[in-house]
Amino acid sequence: MVEAWLEKNPDALGLRREDGASVFRELALFQDYHGLPAFKNALARFMSEQRGYKVAFDPSNIVLTAGATSANEALMFCLADHGDAFLIPTPYYPGFDRDLKWRTGAEIVPVHCTSANGFRVTRAALDDAYRRAQKRRLRVKGVLITNPSNPLGTTAPRADLEMIVEFVAARGIHLVSDEIYSGTAFGEPGFVSVLEVMAERGAAAADVSDRVHVVYSLSKDLGLPGFRVGAIYSSNAAVVSAATKMSSFGLISSQTQYLLAAMLGDKDFTRSYVAENKRRIKERHDQLVDGLREIGISCLESNAGLFCWVDMSHLMRSRSFAGEMELWKKVVFEVGLNISPGSSCHCREPGWFRVCFANMSAKTLDVAMQRLRSFVESTTNGAAALRRAAVPARSISCPIAIKWALRLTPSSGDRKAER
């Protein structure tokens, strides 16, 4: 759909105005790190559209960054000092261990969620994480959530968001809501932005409004990860000012902003794109879930995202994290499917895996399901394949992939410490 739009609107890609005049010179010779006004206005409208126009965005409160990775890191620099902590519900995106910690010196304290309630965040879990942080003499500066969740593929219920806002208000800390999958919600209950909850609080939100921040990106909702387009939205003037200055280390190119200003400014295009994108995601989601169900594998019920949270614990030789890694290696290197082990997402229950379904064709997904079916049948009818612990050296990249996954996986010592 994006390619079709570009073919119909060659001036945007050719850096020309509607009258045919070139804007190349002005884009090439100078860049304001505040961003092109036309792009910020179009992005603000698109973000509102993705939220059903229930939230209005002020372009002056938007800070442009080179993707959500830069946005999250910039917020850590703005909100936390070296050694300060953020509470993050598990399971969470493994990249946060890199994005939030490596250069900022901030710490992450997991908020342990379980399958007993579908991995929803509870007040008890938040209080427990806060106490554990205090026990480690860490100053908690905020809570970071992903909504919709990566890796769960679920939207946060309104009641849960209200509870989290109450928690940060009571503790006097910040709340960062990473909403980069907001446009992928395809089923009920629909997506509710934390800003919608804040708007409903009315005057009661005054005590916490400058401590709630949203991260957004076009990588998922518009399928443009290579364009590196991210944003911070905050009503806190000090955060906007500091983050804007920091954005000079990771700017969005002027020609990218110009192109996307034209695309997002086309209301007919964005309206049809948003609807069609959700339809296709649901179709692919159902294809994966139905295929897994046929071979005896269940998924957490989900309504958003580009992936499913899959329970493969019954295929493990032992119900342990060692068993999970053994199964992961077999699926990746023998079956040839790229999935993520739950332990890399800091899940405390071994046997869960994140399986992506939207970054491939329907035909490729069919091939993947056929491979997985053959693997499950082989492990069911003859357990010899599952008992083999050795990983075949099919590629020189295998040790690198294992090293990376293990690096993102909490050590047994870390898990014991968290207990």
Side-chain angles (χ1 to χ4, degrees), residues 158-170:
R158 185 184 302 272
D160 292 7
L161 292 173
E162 292 171 348
M163 178 272 296
I164 294 170
V165 170
E166 291 289 347
F167 174 81
V168 299

Side-chain angles (χ1 to χ4, degrees), residues 8 15 17 27 55-56 111 114-115 123 139 148 154 174 213 220 262 297 302 304 317 321 325 328 336 341 345 350:
K8 295 177 181 178
L15 305 181
R17 295 191 178 92
L27 293 178
V55 178
V111 179
T114 71
S115 60
R123 179 61 185 260
R139 183 172 60 167
T154 56
H174 293 266
H213 323 278
K220 316 304 180 184
I297 297 177
S302 57
R317 184 168 62 172
F321 288 105
M325 292 305 294
W328 173 76
C345 303

Side-chain angles (χ1 to χ4, degrees), residues 11-30 36 254-255 257-259:
D11 286 347
L13 196 57
L15 305 181
R16 295 184 179 278
R17 295 191 178 92
E18 292 182 359
D19 61 4
S22 174
V23 295
F24 171 79
R25 184 180 295 260
E26 60 187 86
L27 293 178
L29 295 181
F30 175 74
L36 297 180
S254 294
Q255 70 267 32
Q257 292 186 53
Y258 183 82
L259 167 63

Side-chain angles (χ1 to χ4, degrees), residues 126-145:
L126 285 169
D127 288 334
D128 174 69
Y130 195 92
R131 286 192 296 268
R132 284 187 283 110
Q134 289 183 315
K135 191 174 182 179
R136 294 171 54 189
R137 299 185 182 279
L138 297 174
R139 183 172 60 167
V140 176
K141 296 305 292 287
V143 176
L144 187 150
I145 61 173

Side-chain angles (χ1 to χ4, degrees), residues 274-292:
V274 168
E276 178 63 12
N277 188 43
K278 292 182 178 181
R279 187 195 68 78
R280 294 187 191 182
I281 291 173
K282 183 181 187 306
E283 183 179 77
R284 194 62 55 80
H285 165 274
D286 293 348
Q287 181 183 352
L288 174 64
V289 172
D290 292 344
L292 290 174

